[in-house]
Amino acid sequence: MSTTQDQECDQVTLLTGRGDIFSGITVDSKLLAKTSALFEHQLEQSLVAWRQAKRRGIWLSIPHNRTELIPIAQKLGFILHHAKPDYVMLTHWLDEKEPNQLPSYAMSTIGVGGHVVNKKREVLLVEERFAYVKNYFKLPGGCLDMGESIESGLEREVFEETGIRAQFRGILAFTYKAEFRFGHADVYFGCLMSLDENEEDQKINYDPGEIAACKWMSLDEWANSS
Amino acid sequence: MSTTQDQECDQVTLLTGRGDIFSGITVDSKLLAKTSALFEHQLEQSLVAWRQAKRRGIWLSIPHNRTELIPIAQKLGFILHHAKPDYVMLTHWLDEKEPNQLPSYAMSTIGVGGHVVNKKREVLLVEERFAYVKNYFKLPGGCLDMGESIESGLEREVFEETGIRAQFRGILAFTYKAEFRFGHADVYFGCLMSLDENEEDQKINYDPGEIAACKWMSLDEWANSS
């Protein structure tokens, strides 16, 4: 290693971040070195410091525009944990005496479906544009977004799919599927919704990108359909 | 570009994979070219072919030992979707006329807690080793693993934390937190569990890596504790 490189190493800012009650560190991404070579020295030296300080779980979030750093972190013992559009999270468990206790990421989606009944005793149903079974009508609904409540996610999805504004009243039932998309689970909440007096006459206005048909069906007809 | 390089480009195997009802493709990771340079040509040419075939959503899973390919895929328009320890998933929405309709990844953990009561009307409680509040006893339990049912996840967690084998009987109540770890949500199911006749006298045997204390507490004492 040349003297210039040694000096570069010495000048590298050690990574620091937020500590937690588990003796872990969540690295501050703003401190990541500007080049891959400097980052490698920085991470190597930071690991030495964290081991000396008896740190256990290290959380390293690589921003989406620095993903060239991922193989370097992996070479130094980091493991993929989860990713969102704007980052990839890697972790490194440093405690050699105890097993890895780092929590896993989310393993389930939450789906919601709205049971809206009007004064004529008709239920609001949709047929999906992309469906495995044709001519199959189901409750409008969909997946909750990150950070969304069951109530507001339900009202948003029903409005997006049907154009009808209805209010959450309560959860009627739920199902849990252990294996859904990408091996993750899914919880589906079937919810009762109601229409205010002034909302009974709303026009159906569905999103053709997602929905093939939307209609009110009498409860009797729905109960007798397969 | 030299003739040799041209020939290399021509020789690249186009990426293919499993189609879906949404006109999407889930790329077969076994077909990824061996080098970064070849992969770039392969992905460029595959994108041309997918666009000609009017494919919409492309799912590209990069194995954990090929993460140097991630920046190349991003350069060609792919976006981070999710990651597990063994891969990073990226997606590319090719339809220019319709908005991106690719589903999101899991956005919630599922936690389970077991309410085990013995014949002496005592409830099984634990104190976590790493806790924000000291001397706080709670129901044993934890997060479901991928692919795990509520019933078996509950019985596993209660056994791991206490050494007691008890059986799932039913869900008593649940809570939903919209913002939990990493911004994802959490559903927590409080569940009733029972002990068979021959399981009443089991010894408590907790995991000191995770649990500071475990004990049976009278229902009256528990009801009166804060």
Side-chain angles (χ1 to χ4, degrees):
Chain A
M1 197 181 268
S2 76
T3 311
T4 318
Q5 276 176 323
D6 276 342
Q7 283 170 347
E8 275 181 354
C9 294
D10 292 342
Q11 286 164 9
V12 150
T13 311
L14 285 187
L15 291 167
T16 56
R18 186 163 42 82
D20 59 42
I21 60 167
F22 309 97
S23 300
I25 290 279
T26 299
V27 173
D28 181 352
S29 302
K30 290 193 215 73
L31 302 177
L32 300 180
K34 299 277 183 234
T35 69
S36 294
L38 281 175
F39 172 70
E40 185 164 349
H41 296 307
Q42 178 186 44
L43 192 55
E44 270 173 345
Q45 293 183 26
S46 302
L47 282 165
V48 170
W50 289 325
R51 283 200 166 93
Q52 280 172 355
K54 300 230 183 295
R55 290 298 183 175
R56 289 153 42 100
I58 310 299
W59 297 90
L60 176 65
S61 169
I62 303 285
H64 69 97
N65 56 356
R66 299 298 310 277
T67 53
E68 75 280 4
L69 305 182
I70 294 173
I72 299 167
Q74 289 175 302
K75 195 171 77 174
L76 296 176
F78 280 79
I79 287 167
L80 295 166
H81 187 270
H82 74 272
K84 293 188 185 183
D86 53 341
Y87 71 86
V88 176
M89 181 72 85
L90 296 106
T91 61
H92 197 339
W93 180 253
L94 301 182
D95 190 333
E96 285 169 12
K97 290 180 192 150
E98 296 201 35
N100 186 337
Q101 287 174 22
L102 298 178
S104 305
Y105 188 65
M107 42 62 77
S108 180
T109 34
I110 312 276
V112 287
H115 190 81
V116 188
V117 180
N118 64 15
K119 279 189 178 165
K120 297 181 215 158
R121 288 177 52 81
E122 294 166 329
V123 61
L124 183 64
L125 299 173
V126 296
E127 185 187 357
E128 290 185 323
R129 178 174 161 207
F130 301 100
Y132 290 96
V133 185
K134 288 292 168 192
N135 256 315
Y136 175 72
F137 280 83
K138 60 186 276 288
L139 297 181
C143 261
L144 295 187
D145 290 337
M146 282 274 182
E148 198 171 37
S149 71
I150 292 174
E151 297 87 328
S152 63
L154 176 77
E155 295 176 359
R156 175 186 56 73
E157 279 286 349
V158 168
F159 180 72
E160 283 175 12
E161 288 195 356
T162 69
I164 302 291
R165 290 254 178 238
Q167 277 72 49
F168 171 88
R169 283 295 172 260
I171 292 167
L172 294 170
F174 75 87
T175 58
Y176 170 80
K177 282 182 195 157
E179 299 233 8
F180 190 57
R181 275 194 293 257
F182 314 113
H184 70 57
D186 185 65
V187 179
Y188 173 84
F189 290 107
C191 302
L192 184 65
M193 302 187 81
S194 64
L195 294 167
D196 286 344
E197 190 89 358
N198 61 357
E199 291 171 333
E200 282 277 342
D201 297 325
Q202 293 175 81
K203 282 268 186 316
I204 282 175
N205 178 23
Y206 63 83
D207 169 8
E210 207 181 330
I211 300 296
C214 175
K215 65 180 179 186
W216 293 98
M217 188 187 286
S218 80
L219 283 173
D220 287 342
E221 188 187 343
W222 191 44
N224 292 323
S225 67
S226 58
Chain B
M1 196 182 267
S2 77
T3 311
T4 318
Q5 275 176 324
D6 275 342
Q7 282 170 349
E8 274 180 356
C9 294
D10 292 343
Q11 285 164 10
V12 150
T13 311
L14 285 186
L15 291 167
T16 56
R18 187 164 40 82
D20 59 41
I21 60 167
F22 308 98
S23 301
I25 290 280
T26 299
V27 173
D28 182 352
S29 301
K30 290 194 217 74
L31 301 178
L32 301 180
K34 300 278 181 233
T35 69
S36 294
L38 281 176
F39 172 69
E40 185 164 350
H41 295 306
Q42 178 186 44
L43 192 55
E44 271 173 345
Q45 292 182 26
S46 302
L47 282 165
V48 170
W50 288 325
R51 285 201 165 92
Q52 280 172 353
K54 298 227 183 298
R55 290 297 183 177
R56 288 151 44 98
I58 310 297
W59 297 90
L60 175 67
S61 169
I62 304 285
H64 70 97
N65 56 357
R66 298 298 309 278
T67 52
E68 75 280 5
L69 304 183
I70 294 173
I72 299 168
Q74 290 176 302
K75 195 172 76 174
L76 295 176
F78 280 79
I79 287 167
L80 296 165
H81 187 269
H82 73 274
K84 293 188 185 182
D86 53 343
Y87 70 86
V88 176
M89 180 73 83
L90 296 108
T91 60
H92 198 337
W93 180 254
L94 302 182
D95 190 333
E96 286 168 11
K97 290 181 191 149
E98 297 200 35
N100 186 338
Q101 287 173 22
L102 298 178
S104 305
Y105 188 66
M107 42 62 78
S108 180
T109 34
I110 312 276
V112 287
H115 189 83
V116 189
V117 181
N118 64 16
K119 278 188 179 167
K120 297 180 215 158
R121 288 178 52 83
E122 294 166 328
V123 62
L124 183 64
L125 298 173
V126 296
E127 184 188 357
E128 290 185 324
R129 178 175 162 208
F130 301 100
Y132 290 96
V133 185
K134 288 291 166 193
N135 257 315
Y136 175 71
F137 280 83
K138 59 185 275 289
L139 298 180
C143 261
L144 296 187
D145 289 337
M146 282 273 182
E148 199 171 35
S149 71
I150 292 174
E151 296 89 327
S152 62
L154 176 76
E155 295 176 359
R156 175 185 57 73
E157 279 286 350
V158 168
F159 180 73
E160 282 175 12
E161 289 194 356
T162 69
I164 302 291
R165 289 253 178 237
Q167 278 71 49
F168 171 87
R169 283 294 172 260
I171 292 167
L172 294 170
F174 74 88
T175 57
Y176 170 81
K177 281 182 196 156
E179 299 234 6
F180 190 57
R181 275 196 292 258
F182 315 113
H184 70 55
D186 185 65
V187 179
Y188 174 84
F189 290 107
C191 303
L192 184 65
M193 301 186 82
S194 64
L195 294 167
D196 286 345
E197 190 88 358
N198 60 357
E199 292 171 333
E200 282 278 339
D201 297 325
Q202 294 175 81
K203 283 268 187 313
I204 281 175
N205 178 23
Y206 62 82
D207 169 10
E210 208 181 329
I211 300 296
C214 174
K215 63 179 179 187
W216 292 99
M217 188 186 285
S218 80
L219 283 173
D220 287 342
E221 189 186 342
W222 191 45
N224 292 324
S225 66
S226 57

